Amino acid sequence: MSELLAVAVAALGGSERPGQARMAEAVREAIETDEHVAVQAGTGTGKSLAYLVPAIRHAVAAETTVVVSTATIALQRQLVDRDLPRLAEALTGPLGRAPTFAILKGRRNYLCRYKLTTGASDDDEPALFDPRSVSSLGRQVARLHEWAEETTTGDRDELVPGVSELAWRQVSVSARECLGAGRCPSGGECFAEQAREDAGHVDVVVTNHALLAIDAMESFPLLPEHDVIVVDEAHDLVDRVTSVATGQLSEALVAAAARRAGRACDQEVADRLAEAGEGLGLIMADTEPARLDHLSEALEGAVTAVRDAAHACVTAIGPDRKDDADASNVRKLALAALGEVHDDAVRMLAAVQPPIAERREVVWLSSPPSQAPSLHVAPMEVGGLLRERLFGDRTVVLTSATLTLGGAFDHLARQWGLPVHRKDHPGQTGHPDPRDRPEAVADGESAPASAEPVWRGLDVGSPFDYPRSGILYVARHLPPPGRDGLADAYLTEITELIQAAGGRTLALFSSMRAAKQAAEALRERIEHPLLCQGDDSTGQLVREFAADERTCLFGTLSLWQGVDVPGPALQLVIVDRIPFPRPDDPLASARQRAVAARGGNGFMSVAASHAALLLAQGAGRLLRTTSDRGVVAVLDPRLATARYGGFLRATLPPFWATTDPEVARAALRRLDAAAERVPEAAR
């Protein structure tokens, strides 16, 4: 392993790091012992190579496939376009042959030739009745037809610039809607099937957490047969799985299902579904957006009517005409839409039946500005699903720069469905303590000891000298953050910090409202260019931010994991407040209540842990290379004064800490002056 890693590091132009070597050895050992391992590898460790080298070694030796799952498209592309090609070339000699790899996504990500040629349209959006939207949609679909003649993969991500979601839906299908390669007239040249075929014969398949979740939930496999999974950005796994498992009902979704049903069954039956959807829309419009512990009589009746009408449509749709591909396609599309509406209605009605303490799903009504209201249902926990379907019969490697919250793996272990340790330290083997078993099972039921996965938690640290490279400044003198936007004292503090840094600032806010408020106010107070999320695409904003060292970039939570800007362009990260979930967040509040009902601390288990994870991810934007220097400024004084502050600080990198604003500003002025003295060519 050490020899292979040395070859790989040299090929990619890096240098060997102790943490990288420890991680590679831990992954190798996990694969050979059929145990799971969770590795926290700080920024700069080189964790991609640390898991790819032992994974490829195993795949080649055992003639099997290893799956690597990531949370973001950017990392998928980095692996497939940059890391794996060079790594495969470097390891060809030592391994005796060239390792192979492929990328695999959900079917909706690939262009469907049959839908493209038949012109089957998803006329499910009110926007289609807007002449301007029709014109724009037509141009985009025409462009997709031209691209279809050129592409060899049909992968949506290869279309640059991209098209709207509505346009893409005109030329793609979901797994439920697909006719199947054997029955589709275009099955022989299907892009999605070709991607699956390619993935079935390679050593490494790169996919995303969403497809990994679908593969775990569906009764049929989407991924090729494999015995090892590497979950990169594992801190994001539970949220991605929860998102995939979340159902939704709205008047528009029901109407779309009714239109599709009307093409496949008696129109009168389909009209009853449309009427039920209209009734649901009226009831939802009169219901306050909130978590719904109980459905009102009217709302329960409306959801029941939708369920029954969808079932009637399914019953009315005749048998499949296998000799008529067009009719079969119409039937398949109708059944897919009806199935989702029916199943989500069933879940919502069932979710509110048990006593609150025993519920496994939560229902809520949302009504975003300028949008129609909709009902949602999501699992309270996904640990049981992951324990059974992910950790059951394969080795799983989980890794991220942030896996220990408050200094321990326990929180994320519970979320993943793994048994929890009473004490956790680097290298500890995860044999469960019987006292922890009920907490480790997400649904509250103890699993037999023999069914509990065995795992290790390992923190390999980071090559960064955090106390010498960065300062954690907590603005203890500021008032606690309020609910009515940023106080003037916060805007003044941000202004003074940015002026001291000479720009070079990434400011992260807990809401878009706060980000825009701060951007509007500071554009009048500072002389440096200031970009705000929403001004352009996130990728373009980050490129502009990195290109001009004096530029500042303001954004929200969605930026916290998407900015990788090394060097003097980023020397100050500002966080406006501790990123607790909103008190009215339906899923977080339901989870807190469930933990409290089991005798735990709901605030610490859910809200504080959520905040710790996001805070660590935000602070992690500062140092991206060993030569980076800077300040992380948290304006929320509760990080220094509240009882939970110690837990949050223990999750952050071990920066040198201060609450003195002048110390922070003086450090930023020195960094700014030093950056000015270094010629750009020497950086």
Side-chain angles (χ1 to χ4, degrees):
M1 178 54 58
S2 60
E3 294 173 3
L4 288 176
L5 185 61
V7 169
V9 170
L12 270 69
S15 57
E16 292 191 53
R17 299 157 188 169
Q20 186 182 56
R22 288 179 62 203
M23 178 175 174
E25 190 61 30
V27 174
R28 179 200 62 77
E29 183 179 342
I31 293 172
E32 293 183 358
T33 60
D34 293 326
E35 294 184 357
H36 311 297
V37 64
V39 185
Q40 177 166 279
T43 305
T45 302
K47 61 181 169 64
S48 295
L49 281 187
Y51 65 68
L52 284 175
V53 172
I56 290 173
R57 174 180 177 266
H58 167 71
V60 171
E63 296 185 350
T64 186
T65 296
V66 169
V67 172
V68 176
S69 178
T70 75
T72 64
I73 293 173
L75 185 52
Q76 282 180 272
R77 296 255 58 107
Q78 176 186 315
L79 290 173
V80 172
D81 297 338
R82 192 182 73 182
D83 294 349
L84 281 167
R86 291 189 290 172
L87 190 55
E89 182 179 358
L91 297 181
T92 296
L95 294 177
R97 69 168 175 84
T100 55
F101 54 91
I103 191 169
L104 184 62
K105 305 173 184 178
R107 189 171 293 272
R108 181 65 90 173
N109 292 276
Y110 299 97
L111 183 145
C112 173
R113 288 191 185 276
Y114 177 68
K115 194 167 185 180
L116 190 78
T117 55
T118 59
S121 174
D122 278 351
D123 57 345
D124 302 336
E125 294 287 338
L128 289 177
F129 297 99
D130 182 341
R132 291 171 299 178
S133 297
V134 171
S135 176
S136 173
L137 179 67
R139 289 194 299 270
Q140 293 181 71
V141 172
R143 184 163 156 256
L144 285 167
H145 278 263
E146 294 174 1
W147 177 68
E149 299 300 319
E150 306 168 359
T151 179
T152 58
T153 66
D155 186 339
R156 180 181 182 179
D157 292 327
E158 295 185 6
L159 179 65
V160 179
V163 296
S164 68
E165 181 64 25
L166 180 57
W168 183 254
R169 284 214 306 271
Q170 311 310 306
V171 297
S172 65
V173 296
S174 67
R176 279 191 176 192
E177 296 166 337
C178 178
L179 288 172
R183 297 169 55 195
C184 177
S186 302
E189 50 183 3
C190 174
F191 289 121
E193 289 297 322
Q194 185 59 53
R196 289 192 65 191
E197 176 70 16
D198 293 344
H201 302 286
V202 298
D203 299 310
V204 179
V205 171
V206 179
T207 188
N208 55 53
H209 294 351
L211 187 61
L212 189 67
I214 296 171
D215 184 70
M217 291 187 292
E218 295 289 353
S219 57
F220 52 89
L222 298 175
L223 295 171
E225 188 173 340
H226 56 279
D227 61 357
V228 174
I229 292 181
V230 179
V231 182
D232 202 346
E233 299 172 312
H235 64 276
D236 214 16
L237 178 63
V238 168
D239 284 346
R240 301 285 174 144
V241 174
T242 301
S243 178
V244 169
T246 298
Q248 181 180 356
L249 275 184
S250 68
E251 182 178 354
L253 288 172
V254 177
R259 283 195 295 273
R260 288 188 175 185
R263 302 171 192 145
C265 71
D266 186 83
Q267 186 63 48
E268 185 177 345
V269 180
D271 287 344
R272 286 202 292 271
L273 177 59
E275 291 169 3
E278 292 172 3
L280 176 65
L282 291 172
I283 299 300
M284 288 193 296
D286 289 335
T287 305
E288 286 295 319
R291 186 187 72 222
L292 302 176
D293 291 332
H294 305 282
L295 299 183
S296 66
E297 184 177 347
L299 189 55
E300 181 180 4
V303 175
T304 301
V306 167
R307 178 200 65 187
D308 294 345
H311 183 267
C313 287
V314 171
T315 303
I317 292 177
D320 192 8
R321 295 172 55 188
K322 298 182 180 180
D323 59 333
D324 186 339
D326 290 341
S328 187
N329 183 47
V330 168
R331 180 180 184 275
K332 188 88 173 184
L333 290 172
L335 290 177
L338 292 168
E340 290 185 11
V341 166
H342 175 270
D343 293 350
D344 289 341
V346 169
R347 285 176 63 189
M348 291 171 185
L349 293 169
V352 297
Q353 294 306 312
I356 288 177
E358 299 175 12
R359 292 182 181 176
R360 300 189 180 188
E361 297 205 293
V362 58
V363 178
W364 71 93
L365 178 75
S366 68
S367 184
S370 305
Q371 295 184 34
S374 58
L375 279 173
H376 306 263
V377 58
M380 197 86 72
E381 308 288 351
V382 296
L385 169 70
L386 293 175
R387 185 180 63 252
E388 178 184 352
R389 303 300 298 272
L390 184 65
F391 296 102
D393 56 357
R394 59 180 67 88
T395 297
V396 181
V397 177
L398 304 125
T399 186
S400 171
T402 309
L403 292 183
T404 63
L405 303 184
F409 287 93
D410 292 3
H411 173 74
L412 287 177
R414 286 193 185 93
Q415 290 193 347
W416 296 328
L418 292 174
V420 182
H421 316 311
R422 280 294 167 192
K423 295 181 179 179
D424 204 317
H425 57 80
Q428 177 177 344
T429 299
H431 295 290
D433 183 322
R435 294 170 296 176
D436 284 318
R437 204 170 292 135
E439 292 181 320
V441 181
D443 59 18
E445 298 177 3
S446 269
S450 61
E452 291 182 325
V454 177
W455 66 286
R456 294 177 60 209
L458 178 67
D459 184 352
V460 299
S462 168
F464 297 162
D465 187 348
Y466 283 106
R468 291 180 178 271
S469 301
I471 293 174
L472 172 64
Y473 162 56
V474 182
R476 184 170 183 158
H477 63 283
L478 291 179
R483 296 183 179 180
D484 300 323
L486 293 171
D488 287 340
Y490 278 64
L491 295 173
T492 299
E493 187 79 20
I494 295 171
T495 302
E496 292 174 349
L497 287 168
I498 291 177
Q499 288 174 337
R504 314 178 191 277
T505 299
L506 173 66
L508 303 171
F509 298 86
S510 55
S511 70
M512 181 60 80
R513 174 189 173 196
K516 289 183 175 180
Q517 177 194 353
E520 183 178 346
L522 265 74
R523 280 178 174 138
E524 300 176 356
R525 302 187 187 189
I526 63 173
E527 67 275 16
H528 308 297
L530 198 161
L531 307 173
C532 186
Q533 188 176 0
D535 292 347
D536 205 330
S537 69
T538 299
Q540 181 60 30
L541 290 174
V542 172
R543 284 189 289 271
E544 290 183 31
F545 173 58
D548 183 352
E549 292 181 4
R550 295 293 183 186
T551 297
C552 301
L553 175 58
F554 285 17
T556 59
L557 297 178
S558 61
L559 271 180
W560 291 34
Q561 297 182 59
V563 178
D564 185 6
V565 180
L570 175 50
Q571 294 186 334
L572 171 62
V573 173
I574 297 175
V575 180
D576 71 326
R577 64 191 298 160
I578 298 171
F580 292 120
R582 291 169 53 97
D584 58 354
D585 180 279
L587 198 49
S589 61
R591 286 172 171 170
Q592 282 189 230
R593 184 176 60 185
V595 172
R598 297 197 297 266
N601 186 323
F603 172 77
M604 292 302 296
S605 294
V606 179
S609 294
H610 171 90
L613 185 60
L614 289 178
L615 199 58
Q617 289 291 315
R621 302 307 96 197
L622 180 67
L623 304 183
R624 309 305 295 176
T625 70
T626 53
S627 60
D628 287 347
R629 301 288 185 271
V631 174
V632 173
V634 180
L635 307 187
D636 191 333
R638 295 174 296 178
L639 187 61
T641 61
R643 287 184 296 174
Y644 51 77
F647 170 80
L648 299 178
R649 293 194 301 274
T651 304
L652 295 173
F655 297 115
W656 187 83
T658 183
T659 58
D660 187 334
E662 184 48 42
V663 169
R665 292 194 292 265
L668 289 168
R669 285 191 287 266
R670 288 194 298 272
L671 288 171
D672 180 41
E676 281 295 290
R677 289 194 298 269
V678 178
E680 185 174 346
R683 291 172 188 162

